[in-house]
Amino acid sequence: MNRRMSSRSVSLTSTFLLLAAGGAAACDNDEYVDEGFYCADANGVVVDEDYCDDDDSYHGGAGFFIWHSSGYSRGYPVGQKLPSGGSKFAYNDAASRSKFGLPATGKITNGTVKTSVVGKGGSGTSGGKSASKSGG
């Protein structure tokens, strides 16, 4: 004996599946992003990554930051200004480095991309203050 599903059962099942799929997609929105990282000066101009190496007392120093954004890709050369919209934190801020899955100390190669970073960009710190957004 064959049982056929009523149109009401099919409709409810289809509706449930669509809602479940939509709910899962909504949960994934902006939860994880890829972030690009660069060593740059306070104005967002890319500098040699040695300037952001806190294990190297010769190069590291005030005025250099690790800039990051989901909009940064690989390939920005030394001397180029990064696109607007990024955030920065002090090159020697171990907590911010760890937050983004970077090594707590040492050199970070320009153009490093970390996948599945939690949150959208997030704020770092710059000398103990909130990270600033690049204005241009």
Side-chain angles (χ1 to χ4, degrees), residues 36-128:
F37 295 86
Y38 282 87
C39 179
D41 66 13
N43 297 314
V45 176
V46 177
V47 298
D48 190 288
E49 60 243 359
D50 285 340
Y51 288 104
C52 292
D53 183 354
D54 62 345
D55 285 343
D56 183 354
S57 61
Y58 175 72
H59 286 100
F64 298 107
F65 301 88
I66 297 174
W67 284 77
H68 62 97
S69 172
S70 59
Y72 294 168
S73 60
R74 292 181 175 96
Y76 298 114
V78 170
Q80 182 172 348
K81 185 166 176 47
L82 293 166
S84 63
S87 296
K88 66 183 178 184
F89 56 87
Y91 75 94
N92 58 354
D93 182 345
S96 289
R97 284 170 164 247
S98 295
K99 172 183 169 184
F100 290 105
L102 300 168
T105 61
K107 182 166 43 174
I108 296 167
T109 303
N110 280 336
T112 294
V113 175
K114 296 300 284 184
T115 58
S116 300
V117 174
V118 177
K120 239 187 145 172
S123 62
T125 59
S126 176

Side-chain angles (χ1 to χ4, degrees), residues 1-41:
M1 179 175 194
N2 288 338
R3 287 183 81 176
R4 293 178 41 177
M5 292 181 73
S6 71
S7 61
R8 181 174 182 199
S9 296
V10 171
S11 177
L12 288 175
T13 301
S14 298
T15 301
F16 173 76
L17 291 174
L18 287 172
L19 287 173
C27 291
D28 288 341
N29 243 0
D30 297 330
E31 187 175 340
Y32 294 99
V33 296
D34 293 346
E35 290 275 329
F37 295 86
Y38 282 87
C39 179
D41 66 13

